[in-house]
């Protein structure tokens, strides 16, 4: 039980929708969501396929716990070959869409081919049809969601859509659901746009059944108590959201600043969680209006914010004089510290635009930061930028580029390439702070050594959500390790990556792992699903998923040479903070990591390892 045991296959080229049974043998090996959908993608597509080809497939997938009463059980993922990276892509989102999809009776929706014209998929329980989306093409995620709800006269339909950025080919376009939740990274929205698929709208009422209801309720109750008692999930995240990290990481000397030229930002306190809650001078109100939670979540880390009415960004833009999804830590970092901008309202505006037009704020802000360095170095000029002074610290440049990039216009079209392609175009590839083409998140690899190894080895390109060793290195969860030291980090990274693979496949949110270990999650999976699910089995699922992704990337053309970091992090020492004088010790950690995984010295899983994990 708990699996819906049903897949909806949508052939966009033919305009057909058909149900088929879930492969339960695969479900027992890969669990669901990230793992199971990756298995389907690997089996059904050529790893060398062009991400924007009709032959690439896009899969929306839930986990077995999605839609249950477990805390945070509202997740779904979008799995494809990423437009930004050309690597395996799996982007996870919260909100209410995943729950609705599971309640409509589907574990996955597989999209294949390409529609001749813009369409959206409407699912109402076991009824599915493709509908002309011509009225919504060229419109934002916000307008699309509101339009579909109005057309079907149902405010509770859940919609996941792309904005204009996904239509015009911004390489890091995302899929936005519930107005400000997103499957955000790797260009999954770009792939969706290439298929002329504007949106997916779902209304589900079938419910979710678990294997042993009494046992499940007991396990869920126990898990929720652990979350409530934990200082991070019970206090820090509910009170401050992920923005609680801004000042903490800055003080740790690991806040990448001005395209990683520095590792501490003097303006961090101005764009922090504390600043969001402070009364503004202009109108006496706060940036933060209230908190929000995804389906079934007992943490409620979401933020709802507004922009000061007199701020230049909204003075003539009434559509942004609203309340919408507020800054989370990664977005505040990329739009702020990475660009040197400490104007909180400007960051909030840029974040609204990213939500509205469906862009990953991490890649957008980091790419702007790279452009600012090129501009200040004279590698690009007003000729390329259309007269816009793209200097570090310029709030005007940041906000104007957000709008231009969201529409694919002017210099925004260059920003929409992502930092790797943009920097290569202008002859400065070394200024792209990315791995496998995906921009870094908000942790400096010199100040948090484990994260450097995590970035280098991440299957979807630089990512913090593939092995969040910050938990250990900064917060001491589950054990405290020194963030500036590399000893023991290979094993730590592997353990975090494997556990994350299991959590992402279950339908739960990764934030639960601030409080939970697999010992807390396994009883919930075991009670919900048929079969015996132990912590050890979940860890093996995570390792199997990770290795399958690795094999896909190797077949796609990636090699051990791609498991690296920009020279800046390997050669230029941190200038201030606890990591002053340090560079990333990747050269030491990487061979240890390969050994810990049972891979060869050139990063290929050995036959013995493949046999051990039944891959």
């Amino acid at each position: 039980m708990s699996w819906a045991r049903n897949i909806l296959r949508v052939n966009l080229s033919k305009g057909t929708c058909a149900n088929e049974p879930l492969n339960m043998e695969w479900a027992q090996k890969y669990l669901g969501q990230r793992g199971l959908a990756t298995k389907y993608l690997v089996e059904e597509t050529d790893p060398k396929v062009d991400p924007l080809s009709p032959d690439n497939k896009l899969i929306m997938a839930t986990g077995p716990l999605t839609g249950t009463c477990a805390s945070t059980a509202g997740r779904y993922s979008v799995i494809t070959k990423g437009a930004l990276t050309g690597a395996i892509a799996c982007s996870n989102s919260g909100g209410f869409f995943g729950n609705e999809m599971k309640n409509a009776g589907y574990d996955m929706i597989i999209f294949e081919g390409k529609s001749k014209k813009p369409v959206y998929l409407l699912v109402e329980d076991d009824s599915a049809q493709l509908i002309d989306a011509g009225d919504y093409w060229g419109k934002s995620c916000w307008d699309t969601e509101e339009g579909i709800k109005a057309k079907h006269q149902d405010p509770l339909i859940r919609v996941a859509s792309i904005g204009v950025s996904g239509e015009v080919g911004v390489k890091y376009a995302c899929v936005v659901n519930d107005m400000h939740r997103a499957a955000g990274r790797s260009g999954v929205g770009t792939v969706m746009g290439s298929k002329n698929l504007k949106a997916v709208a779902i209304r589900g009422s079938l419910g979710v059944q678990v294997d042993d209801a009494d046992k499940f309720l007991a396990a869920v109750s126990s898990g929720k108590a652990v979350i409530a008692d934990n200082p991070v999930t019970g206090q820090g995240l509910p009170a401050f959201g992920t923005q609680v990290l801004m000042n903490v990481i800055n003080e740790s000397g690991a806040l990448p600043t001005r395209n990683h030229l520095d590792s501490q930002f003097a303006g961090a306190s101005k764009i922090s969680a504390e600043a969001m809650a402070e009364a503004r001078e202009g109108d006496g109100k706060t940036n933060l209006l209230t908190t929000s939670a995804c389906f079934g979540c007992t943490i409620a880390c979401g933020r709802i914010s507004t922009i000061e009415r007199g701020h230049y960004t909204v003075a003539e833009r009434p559509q942004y004089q609203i309340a919408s999804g507020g800054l989370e830590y990664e977005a505040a970092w990329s739009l702020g510290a990475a660009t040197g901008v400490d104007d909180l309202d400007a960051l909030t505006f840029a974040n609204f635009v990213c939500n509205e037009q469906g862009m990953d704020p991490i890649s957008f802000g980091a790419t702007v930061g790279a452009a600012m360095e090129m501009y200040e170095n004279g590698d690009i000029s007003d000729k390329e930028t259309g007269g816009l002074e793209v200097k570090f610290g310029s709030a005007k440049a940041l906000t104007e580029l957000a709008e231009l990039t969201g529409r694919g216009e002017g210099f925004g079209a260059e920003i929409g390439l992502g930092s790797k392609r943009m920097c290569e175009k202008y002859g400065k590839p070394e200024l792209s702070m990315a791995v496998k083409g995906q921009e870094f998140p908000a942790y400096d690899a010199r100040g948090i050594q484990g994260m450097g190894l995590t970035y280098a080895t991440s299957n979807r390109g630089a990512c913090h959500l593939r092995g969040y060793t910050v938990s250990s290195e900064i917060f001491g969860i589950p054990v405290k390790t020194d963030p500036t030291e590399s000893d023991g980090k290979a094993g730590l990274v592997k353990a975090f990556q494997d556990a994350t693979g299991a959590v992402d496949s279950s339908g739960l949110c990764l934030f639960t792992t601030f409080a939970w270990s697999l010992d807390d999650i396994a009883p919930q999976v075991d009670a919900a699903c048929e079969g015996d699910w132990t912590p050890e089995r979940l860890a093996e699922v995570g390792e199997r998923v990770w290795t399958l992704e690795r094999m896909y990337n190797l077949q796609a053309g990636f090699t051990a040479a791609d498991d690296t970091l920009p020279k800046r992090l390997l050669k230029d020492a941190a200038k201030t903070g606890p990591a002053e004088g340090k560079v990333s010790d990747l050269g030491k950690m990487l061979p240890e990591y390969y050994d810990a995984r049972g891979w060869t010295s050139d990063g290929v899983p050995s036959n013995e390892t493949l046999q051990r994990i039944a891959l």
Side-chain angles (χ1 to χ4, degrees), residues 36 90 103 110 134 141 176 189 196 248 273 307 334 341 383 446 470 478 531 546 549 554 582:
L36 190 54
C90 173
N103 275 271
I110 301 177
C141 297
V176 174
N196 277 332
V248 173
I307 301 171
S334 65
V341 176
K383 178 180 178 182
R446 295 164 292 195
V470 172
W546 187 266
E549 293 171 337
L554 291 171
K582 293 267 187 179

Side-chain angles (χ1 to χ4, degrees), residues 371-412:
M372 287 176 166
E373 183 171 359
M374 287 197 297
Y375 185 89
E376 294 204 346
N377 290 344
D379 302 313
I380 57 175
S381 66
D382 290 349
K383 178 180 178 182
E384 286 78 20
T385 66
L388 186 63
E389 291 189 346
V390 185
K391 295 181 178 180
F392 281 126
S394 172
K396 179 181 179 182
L398 173 71
T399 53
E400 289 195 17
L401 285 173
E403 293 186 293
L404 288 171
T405 305
R407 298 192 299 265
E409 298 174 353
F411 190 63

